[in-house]
Amino acid sequence: GFSESELSNSVFGGGGDAVNLRDQYLKCSHNQLTFNPTTHSGVNNGVVTVDIRPETITGRDDSTIRNIVNSKLAEMFGVDSASQLANHVMHCMPPGTSGDWVGYAYVNSWVSVFNNEWCTYSSIQMHEIGHNLNLAHSGTQLSNGGTNQYDDQSGL
């Protein structure tokens, strides 16, 4: 796992990580788009740890765990929904969830979800938060008329 400080640094910088989500979006947008930590009481530099039982994690589907975490966040902060805490909420899942996945997010939404160490990779953070910002995969047209949403490698 990672400390709250390490996670905050990978998203917002300020702790020696020169390549972080905030700085990369600032550069890509010519300083028009920035991400700042929420000022919600009880959140440490944009990061909060939600404790859940280990048996809740091992082999469980990540969406089940995400829903448990969202409920606990709402309860911890006395809000109806975790979406009320910040414009964008990133879930860093601990190791042990089912499947071999990196991360996902919903287009034009507030939540993104990352599998364990992938939470600190700025390229993955930017990709998933891009979905939250209403960006989808560009993909490519296949010879059979279908599309492969992950086949466009021009941005890598």
Side-chain angles (χ1 to χ4, degrees), residues 94-112:
T97 61
S98 66
D100 184 25
W101 59 284
V102 173
Y104 63 89
Y106 299 100
V107 175
N108 200 25
S109 182
W110 58 275
V111 67
S112 54

Side-chain angles (χ1 to χ4, degrees), residues 12-72:
F12 303 109
D17 190 346
V19 180
N20 58 71
L21 175 90
R22 181 180 187 276
D23 287 346
Q24 294 305 300
Y25 266 110
L26 279 169
K27 289 175 183 173
C28 288
S29 69
H30 300 282
N31 293 322
Q32 298 300 303
L33 177 61
T34 188
F35 289 87
N36 294 310
T38 184
T39 57
H40 220 288
S41 177
V43 179
N44 183 23
N45 295 320
V47 179
V48 63
T49 298
V50 177
D51 289 318
I52 55 177
R53 297 181 319 227
E55 60 270 18
T56 304
I57 300 166
T58 306
R60 298 289 294 273
D61 182 77
D62 52 275
S63 63
T64 300
I65 299 166
R66 182 192 71 232
N67 291 335
I68 291 168
V69 169
N70 282 336
S71 294
K72 284 199 172 245

Side-chain angles (χ1 to χ4, degrees), residues 34-154:
T34 188
F35 289 87
N36 294 310
T38 184
T39 57
H40 220 288
S41 177
V43 179
N44 183 23
N45 295 320
V47 179
V48 63
T49 298
V50 177
D51 289 318
I52 55 177
R53 297 181 319 227
E55 60 270 18
T56 304
I57 300 166
T58 306
R60 298 289 294 273
D61 182 77
D62 52 275
S63 63
T64 300
I65 299 166
R66 182 192 71 232
N67 291 335
I68 291 168
V69 169
N70 282 336
S71 294
K72 284 199 172 245
L73 279 170
E75 180 183 321
M76 287 169 63
F77 291 97
V79 295
D80 293 330
S81 168
S83 66
Q84 295 172 280
L85 298 173
N87 292 330
H88 300 281
V89 176
M90 299 170 62
H91 291 303
C92 300
M93 297 296 182
T97 61
S98 66
D100 184 25
W101 59 284
V102 173
Y104 63 89
Y106 299 100
V107 175
N108 200 25
S109 182
W110 58 275
V111 67
S112 54
V113 185
F114 303 86
N115 192 7
N116 196 20
E117 75 272 2
W118 294 106
C119 197
T120 61
Y121 285 63
S122 62
S123 59
I124 304 303
Q125 293 170 350
M126 289 186 68
H127 177 99
E128 300 308 342
I129 294 292
H131 292 313
N132 292 157
L133 297 172
N134 210 25
L135 300 173
H137 297 139
S138 56
T140 58
Q141 187 75 31
L142 301 176
S143 60
N144 66 4
T147 59
N148 181 338
Q149 66 174 337
Y150 292 102
D151 202 35
D152 181 358
Q153 302 295 307
S154 62

